[in-house]
Amino acid sequence: MLAIGEPLETALAAMILVHGRGASAEDILTIAAEVMHPGFAYLAPQAAGNAWYPNPFTAPLESNEPHLSSALKVLSMLLARVESKMPAERVVLLGFSQGACLTLEFAARHARRYGGVVGLSGGLIGPDGTPRDYAGDFQHTPAFLGCSDVDPHIRKDRVIEAAEVFERMGANVTMKLYPGMAHTVSGDELDDVRRIVDRVGGFQT
């Protein structure tokens, strides 16, 4: 795991950033550098072989096991470590691409009041028609989902599905689809992430 910003031991808030397939913890921390806020610890776990699971996020769930369960456990253990220092309301979960899929799936399976949940080019894991009967309540957690409307890896209907599920589970969802955008993170998306970070950094509810 890589970390920048305030050391976790003295941090007042934290962001966990999850990289995409073929990328690294170092890569995803470039987003942290764009949304730096005083008092925040920025933590990025590294997947073995630079991938959290082997097959597309739309593949049958069992085809991505045991890797998917292992990846979810990594996030669970890291969040528990962070929560030993601060409440989940001061923690922002963020992922890009495969990391966004993992982050959204993890958050849905462990719904509670977070500081924020951010999925940049991602959707919930599993094939079309997967039951989304998650338990739990996000208790008005701010959630931002952004993606190109023609992303080659993430169909826009899967982003819409994730937004609807999170909304149904009590999150305050902002979803944006960007016409013709490449598989990347836009400045507009970073602006929305900064708003979440600034709110958590000010400990506003």
Side-chain angles (χ1 to χ4, degrees):
M1 189 193 72
L2 296 182
I4 62 173
E6 187 76 17
L8 183 59
E9 290 67 33
T10 55
L12 299 175
M15 176 181 280
I16 295 173
L17 303 99
V18 188
H19 69 77
R21 186 191 299 273
S24 67
E26 187 175 14
D27 293 329
I28 196 72
L29 284 179
T30 61
I31 292 179
E34 294 282 349
V35 298
M36 290 291 266
H37 190 286
F40 259 78
Y42 296 85
L43 311 170
Q46 173 65 53
N50 301 98
W52 295 106
Y53 45 84
N55 295 309
F57 82 107
T58 53
L61 288 167
E62 59 273 14
S63 75
N64 275 315
E65 294 294 0
H67 312 278
L68 176 57
S69 291
S70 176
L72 291 166
K73 186 175 181 181
V74 167
L75 294 192
S76 183
M77 292 173 66
L78 179 52
L79 180 60
R81 179 180 165 191
V82 174
E83 282 194 277
S84 72
K85 306 295 182 184
M86 68 190 70
E89 302 96 275
R90 296 186 193 170
V91 182
V92 179
L93 306 177
L94 177 148
F96 172 68
S97 193
Q98 189 185 63
C101 298
L102 185 63
T103 296
L104 294 173
E105 186 67 29
F106 175 83
R109 294 186 186 195
H110 301 85
R112 67 185 82 172
R113 180 59 160 91
Y114 294 102
V117 178
V118 179
L120 303 172
S121 303
L124 293 165
I125 296 175
D128 292 350
T130 297
R132 302 299 179 188
D133 49 357
Y134 304 99
D137 184 343
F138 281 114
Q139 302 170 49
H140 306 292
T141 293
F144 176 77
L145 284 75
C147 192
S148 167
D149 66 341
V150 290
D151 191 290
H153 307 289
I154 312 291
R155 297 197 326 262
K156 68 178 182 180
D157 63 291
R158 296 300 297 260
V159 181
I160 294 168
E161 177 201 36
E164 290 174 345
V165 169
F166 270 59
E167 204 159 59
R168 189 174 73 238
M169 294 177 69
N172 292 341
V173 180
T174 300
M175 184 198 71
K176 294 184 179 180
L177 294 172
Y178 298 87
M181 188 174 79
H183 186 65
T184 187
V185 178
S186 70
D188 186 78
E189 289 173 299
L190 290 174
D191 287 342
D192 277 280
V193 176
R194 283 189 201 98
R195 279 190 278 273
I196 291 174
V197 169
D198 289 346
R199 179 181 299 170
V200 175
F203 306 128
Q204 300 171 18
T205 56

